[in-house]
Amino acid sequence: MKICIFGSGAIGAFMGVRLHQAGAEVSLVARGAHLAAMRERGVRLLAQDEDTVVRPRCTDNAAELGPQDYVIIALKAHSVPAAVPSIQPLLGPDTAVVTAVNGIPYWYFHKTGGAFEGRRLETIDPGGAQWTGFGPERAIGCVVYPATEVVEPGVIQHIYGDKFPLGEPDGGTSARVSALSEAMAAGGLRAPVLERIRDEIWLKLWGNLCFNPISALTHATLEVICADPGTRAVAKAMMLEAQAIAERIGVRFRVDVERRINGAGAVGAHKTSMLQDLERGRPMEIDALLSVVQEMGRLVGVATPSIDVVLALVRQRGEVAGLYSRPHPAAEPVPAVAAQ
């Protein structure tokens, strides 16, 4: 089984180590000092009492690798459209593209049936770069739950979690998704194949779409956001708007909003990924977590007043910091409509 991890930062390299340990032929695409360290010393994983070094093939040029059985995209969501040309050499006739990215994936309306079948989402896939460059038929959904960090070039610290739910867009249990699930399980990762992968995508997004931008605006940790009555109320309002959108297109939430907020608060003094990116001067992942929810709200006729306000604020925060560029005007949603 040939697997390329395109975007081998903290999560991608962690997955690569585990799949390599399972016996897969793994290659990692990375760049900079991190790539140089992995080439020279291997990929080192620190996990609880474990200190492991593996030596998969590492490169910054995917064209060296040839077609793969699976390409796992573990980039930040906003980086994926521009990377489509670089990924092309990895794609053979039967290559699956596994979207291990945050937020709504490019293939979301593939095999959904109904009024929005085949709909492309401009805020996350400008010009349909992924839809046309990969094709939705290659897609396997993947929700990323573990927390990992690159503590120094070539060294990954595993903080918590081992769950990567997988799912075919049509809800089926194909040979390709089953084989990947088994390979990940052999490497110590939990990768259940779900019939309703979109439910799981929204469950994670439900928290990310509010806690990430609120933290970037306030610099507060999760426990502070969830405990303060004001920010908790903002988060809840955003989540209820998102829930109304998701349910309009058939999503089922297995927990209620209060339980989801309480679960986030229980994580403790944790800085969200968006706040960490802001503090470290890295591009902020706004569109895949927030802009796309606004776009989908306009699509299904659900107003998003709380999301609209927070999105306007966090976009400006990112622009002022030089860490965000808003979508092309053609990707901007039409003016708000009344809820139906």
Side-chain angles (χ1 to χ4, degrees):
M1 181 182 290
K2 295 182 68 174
I3 302 175
C4 177
I5 316 274
F6 197 99
S8 299
I11 285 292
F14 172 60
M15 296 178 77
V17 169
R18 293 305 193 208
L19 286 164
H20 180 88
Q21 291 175 319
E25 183 182 338
V26 175
S27 54
L28 306 182
V29 176
R31 62 185 181 182
H34 183 53
L35 170 62
M38 292 192 296
R39 278 174 160 168
E40 181 180 351
R41 299 187 294 273
V43 187
R44 184 179 179 191
L45 175 64
L46 307 176
Q48 298 178 339
D49 297 328
E50 178 185 357
D51 187 340
T52 302
V53 176
V54 302
R55 295 183 176 275
R57 185 171 182 180
C58 300
T59 183
D60 57 0
N61 181 9
E64 298 175 355
L65 305 173
Q68 305 287 305
D69 296 312
Y70 300 90
V71 176
I72 299 176
I73 299 177
L75 297 165
K76 288 288 184 124
H78 53 257
S79 301
V80 180
V84 170
S86 299
I87 294 171
Q88 292 300 311
L90 301 170
L91 304 180
D94 300 314
T95 304
V97 172
V98 183
T99 51
V101 297
N102 283 328
I104 299 294
Y106 78 93
W107 52 263
Y108 189 88
F109 286 118
H110 176 59
K111 297 290 187 180
T112 56
F116 303 116
E117 173 64 36
R119 180 84 181 203
R120 306 180 189 188
L121 293 162
E122 191 68 19
T123 47
I124 56 165
D125 190 24
Q130 297 173 75
W131 189 283
T132 56
F134 301 147
E137 68 282 352
R138 292 188 186 273
I140 293 175
C142 178
V143 182
V144 176
Y145 281 113
T148 56
E149 184 178 355
V150 179
V151 292
E152 64 179 85
V155 181
I156 309 301
Q157 176 75 57
H158 175 248
I159 301 169
Y160 65 80
D162 60 2
K163 191 174 180 181
F164 294 87
L166 303 172
E168 290 279 4
D170 67 1
T173 304
S174 64
R176 66 179 191 173
V177 76
S178 297
L180 180 60
S181 174
E182 291 167 6
M184 293 176 72
L189 303 175
R190 290 187 296 153
V193 178
L194 305 182
E195 292 183 3
R196 297 180 58 87
I197 189 64
R198 292 173 183 81
D199 291 359
E200 200 72 19
I201 288 169
W202 275 95
L203 186 63
K204 182 178 181 186
L205 176 61
W206 209 18
N208 282 346
L209 71 91
C210 59
F211 300 128
N212 273 270
I214 291 172
S215 70
L217 293 167
T218 65
H219 288 232
T221 61
L222 282 175
E223 66 177 354
V224 173
I225 293 169
C226 296
D228 178 85
T231 49
R232 184 185 180 99
V234 173
K236 181 177 180 179
M238 296 174 71
M239 293 171 78
L240 290 175
E241 292 170 7
Q243 182 175 359
I245 295 166
E247 289 179 343
R248 188 69 63 88
I249 52 178
V251 172
R252 303 172 191 164
F253 290 83
R254 66 174 186 265
V255 300
D256 64 29
V257 67
E258 294 292 345
R259 181 178 172 188
R260 182 68 176 85
I261 295 173
N262 291 339
V267 173
H270 174 70
K271 293 183 178 181
T272 70
S273 60
M274 191 179 290
L275 175 56
Q276 292 181 47
D277 287 342
L278 176 62
E279 291 181 340
R280 297 174 184 179
R282 300 187 303 212
M284 294 167 65
E285 199 170 31
I286 294 172
D287 293 326
L289 303 185
L290 206 52
S291 305
V292 70
V293 179
Q294 184 190 66
E295 181 182 0
M296 294 173 86
R298 305 298 184 259
L299 184 64
V300 301
V302 173
T304 54
S306 300
I307 289 173
D308 295 348
V309 169
V310 173
L311 175 57
L313 294 172
V314 80
R315 276 179 165 176
Q316 188 170 93
R317 182 68 189 91
E319 287 173 331
V320 169
L323 304 176
Y324 172 74
S325 297
R326 67 182 63 218
H328 187 275
E332 296 282 357
V334 297
V337 296
Q340 298 178 355

